[in-house]
Amino acid sequence: MGADENIIAELRGFDRIAYNSDDRFYKRLCDVGDFYEEVIADKTPCEVTSVEQLLDKVENSAIYKILKKTSERNLQILLMKVRIYSVKDISEILHISKTSIYERIKNVREKLNKIR
């Protein structure tokens, strides 16, 4: 088709980066799939607007202890994720890199997975 080989190689590199990113996302999603299913099954209306309300809604004492020890910034990120903000939006609002947000969520998730 007349495209330069360097451009084709660069496009392949971008595709590989996008694939790896999607792959990591879906692997993380599978790790907490059961938890999400439980949350989705709970049909009680819940509009959480503050970190305090988020903590008040936690019924499991082990989860509460972990979240209580978590930093305020991490709880803000979790609250925004619960309220369906995208990582891009959270990044812009809190002035934190997307990588940092993913890392903070991963750290909290790992702590929560230990109590299972």
Side-chain angles (χ1 to χ4, degrees):
M1 298 185 81
D4 184 31
E5 289 297 320
N6 292 332
I7 293 174
I8 293 172
E10 192 174 332
L11 290 173
R12 283 187 182 147
F14 288 133
D15 286 344
R16 183 51 132 176
I17 291 169
Y19 171 80
N20 287 337
S21 175
D22 290 345
D23 187 50
R24 285 190 302 272
F25 170 77
Y26 287 113
K27 283 180 183 174
R28 290 182 190 143
L29 185 63
C30 291
D31 289 344
V32 293
D34 295 336
F35 174 72
Y36 287 138
E37 288 174 10
E38 291 175 19
V39 171
I40 291 170
D42 183 15
K43 299 294 181 188
T44 57
C46 176
E47 181 60 33
V48 178
T49 58
S50 70
V51 171
E52 292 78 23
Q53 288 177 343
L54 178 67
L55 291 174
D56 287 343
K57 294 288 183 185
V58 176
E59 295 177 0
N60 184 315
S61 62
I63 292 174
Y64 180 81
K65 287 178 185 176
I66 289 171
L67 292 178
K68 194 69 174 163
K69 291 178 185 177
T70 303
S71 72
E72 182 77 19
R73 180 66 90 184
N74 288 355
L75 290 175
Q76 286 176 331
I77 292 169
L78 291 176
L79 175 62
M80 293 176 88
K81 286 298 289 176
V82 167
R83 299 193 68 207
I84 320 293
Y85 281 82
S86 70
V87 172
K88 180 183 176 191
D89 292 339
I90 297 171
S91 174
E92 291 172 359
I93 293 168
L94 298 180
H95 306 290
I96 301 173
S97 71
K98 293 178 191 176
T99 305
S100 177
I101 292 169
Y102 283 121
E103 194 64 32
R104 288 169 183 253
I105 291 171
K106 179 184 135 201
N107 290 339
V108 173
R109 182 182 294 122
E110 287 173 353
K111 290 176 186 176
L112 292 174
N113 282 336
K114 288 179 183 177
I115 63 171
R116 286 187 178 181

